Amino acid sequence: MNTQWGSCQATSQSCLIDGFNTSDPAPSDPPNVCEQGSVSPFYIDVQCASDVQNAFAFSKKTGVPLVVKNTGHDYKGRSSTPGSLALWTHNLQSLSYNASFVPAGCPASHAKPGVTMGAGSIITNIVAFAEANNITLVTGAETTVGASGGWVMGGGHGALSNTLGLGVDRVLEFKIVTPTGRFLTANECQNSDLFWALRGGGGGTFGVVLESTTLASPKMTLQVAFAAFSRTNTNATRGFYEVVVDNSVRWAEQGFGGYIEPFQALYVTPKLNSSEAAATMQPLFDYVSALAPNDTGVQILSVELPSYGAFFTNFIAGSGAPVGENAVVASRLIPAANFADAAGRAALVAALLQTLAHASFDLSLLATTPYNVPDAGSARTSVTPAWRGAVWHAIAEGGWDGAAPVDAERAAYNGTSGAADYLRAITPDAAYQNEADVHEPNHEVSFWGSNYARLLQIKKKYDPENVLTCWHCVGYDPQSPRFSCYV
Ligand SMILES: Cc1cc2nc3c(=O)[nH]c(=O)nc-3n(C[C@H](O)[C@H](O)[C@H](O)COP(=O)(O)OP(=O)(O)OC[C@H]3O[C@@H](n4cnc5c(N)ncnc54)[C@H](O)[C@@H]3O)c2cc1C
């Protein structure tokens, strides 16, 4: 997805593709060369637990490094390793719904509606499956992200997370092969320490997940609000940010989740009726409507939809991310405290404008935090507790085109990280591990906060030889040769 992780950035070995037409072989035709880069030269197309058990035994005998790859969407290169054997879980695509799923080993009183999905299931299929079964599942915004792999183990946010929680809040059970070769079921009644670690400790760390079961909610009516102006109308961005910052805590309390770009905001809530939703969004609509005389790109919409599937199809699915770009992100969780008083809000708007000015691609403000879903004392999940009080997950994005000298690549990482520094300066140390700065300072605190020490203990219990190690993962070993391609 992000081609720098197919390249070996440190040596510039790559096999470039054209992001606009990925079938076009021209970018890697002579005189260009197509090199292996960081893409694993061998893959196991995982079908069952014994495939994974045999791979762990093989790696132990030969020393060949293993890497787990699902969709290959990872922003931090955690699913590609030079010279490795890849365990590819993409073809584990099964989906089933059980209206009274009981986690194995739990009493019948634990029954809840659940969808069991193979590790390779992707979001677009899950949304369609939920729609067909009259249920609601929390998903991320990109159709092709793997919902049962890295997305969920790293946290998993989506437009409904405000009221329904993160992906990790909703998991009922994992089936996993651990690096010592054990095929385990992890839920709240057995292997509960591993279950907790898998709910936020990150992918590629504790074993290879074959399937997960997630809580299904009833189908729900949603109120959607959308406002946009021309992307080129950058003079309007400050005022737009001011309106959004002034109102965001109220909207979060009212169940709104959504996505804010410098020129548009898309919000959705299951908690209000249509007139309540339109009324509370009025400040946003007023601001954007007032731009209309001079801006032909103005759009305002307030609509009721019958389901999350309808919302996803109409507002999310069409905006799919480009494949084959060299994208670099750096992110920050923005707590409610930053919105509490006028001085804080002014400082936040100033920091957003600075971040936007310094991020070479974009700044996205994601109202996808579990604002109304507590997890006191991190009893259920191991993501950083900072997710709970956060209003936004803000992502600065930069990158470069095609092949670039190593120095230019390093500059893109530094530049995007520097853009996020404006937000770092005014927020506590917390970021989303799946969409974080590759060189996140103090990453253990930032991704897991007070949960890191316990995660490390569990890592040592289930993977005592650190067979599965990935960049800035729990138990990360910076000296490992598998990181030789990072710049
Ligand atoms: C365009 C785009 C949009 C995104 N939108 C969202 C969003 O809306 N919400 C959100 O929360 N995140 C989003 N993400 C981030 C996403 O959560 C991460 O990229 C995540 O790592 C993807 O997981 P994957 O399994 O699909 O990818 P992969 O790159 O295949 O894997 C990611 C990590 O998980 C591990 N892993 C994968 N499968 C398994 C398995 N079966 N067992 C054990 N470990 C495994 C890998 O080893 C690697 O460490 C987005 C990413 C992109 C590129």
Side-chain angles (χ1 to χ4, degrees), residues 103 106 110 112 172-173 186-192 195 199:
C106 289
H110 281 56
K112 289 183 180 147
L172 303 173
E173 182 168 281
N187 58 40
E188 58 186 349
C189 302
Q190 56 178 312
N191 300 307
S192 56
F195 185 48
R199 298 171 86 185

Side-chain angles (χ1 to χ4, degrees), residues 276-449:
E276 289 167 341
T280 195
M281 282 291 159
Q282 205 56 51
L284 174 66
F285 294 160
D286 287 346
Y287 179 78
V288 175
S289 319
L291 302 170
N294 302 315
D295 185 334
T296 52
V298 165
Q299 295 177 62
I300 306 281
L301 188 68
S302 182
V303 65
E304 179 173 289
L305 290 176
S307 65
Y308 179 68
F311 169 71
F312 194 87
T313 308
N314 286 298
F315 289 94
I316 306 274
S319 60
V323 172
E325 63 173 8
N326 299 290
V328 173
V329 298
S331 68
R332 210 66 187 158
L333 294 173
I334 316 283
N338 285 89
F339 299 76
D341 56 36
R345 291 192 291 273
L348 178 55
V349 169
L352 293 174
L353 290 167
Q354 288 285 10
T355 303
L356 179 61
H358 289 86
S360 57
F361 285 9
D362 216 342
L363 170 64
S364 301
L365 306 172
L366 278 59
T368 53
T369 57
Y371 190 82
N372 292 307
V373 184
D375 180 18
S378 293
R380 292 181 293 108
T381 69
S382 48
V383 290
T384 170
W387 268 110
R388 305 295 159 182
V391 174
W392 288 340
H393 156 45
I395 311 178
E397 191 177 357
W400 63 91
D401 284 331
V406 174
D407 285 350
E409 296 176 356
R410 202 171 279 127
Y413 287 109
N414 290 340
T416 310
S417 187
D421 280 345
Y422 294 97
L423 293 170
R424 286 192 179 107
I426 59 163
T427 52
D429 203 355
Y432 176 34
Q433 62 188 296
N434 279 354
E435 294 174 311
D437 189 338
V438 171
H439 299 289
E440 180 71 29
N442 209 12
H443 72 273
E444 292 165 3
V445 171
S446 195
F447 303 156
W448 297 289

Side-chain angles (χ1 to χ4, degrees), residues 1-2 67-80 87 89 92 119-123 139-159 166 176 198 202-211 259 320-322 366 368 387 393 432 434-435 468 470 473:
M1 184 95 188
N2 302 128
V67 68
V68 192
K69 182 167 188 164
N70 192 24
T71 67
H73 278 39
D74 200 65
Y75 281 114
K76 298 195 304 192
R78 293 174 300 177
S79 46
S80 50
L87 290 158
T89 58
L92 298 171
S121 303
I122 58 171
I123 282 172
T139 76
E142 170 59 32
T143 51
T144 55
V145 162
S148 191
W151 178 82
V152 70
M153 283 179 267
H157 62 79
L166 296 169
I176 181 170
L198 291 170
T205 304
F206 300 95
V208 179
V209 165
L210 299 182
E211 68 177 39
Y259 304 92
L366 278 59
T368 53
W387 268 110
H393 156 45
Y432 176 34
N434 279 354
E435 294 174 311
L468 289 179
C470 46
C473 296

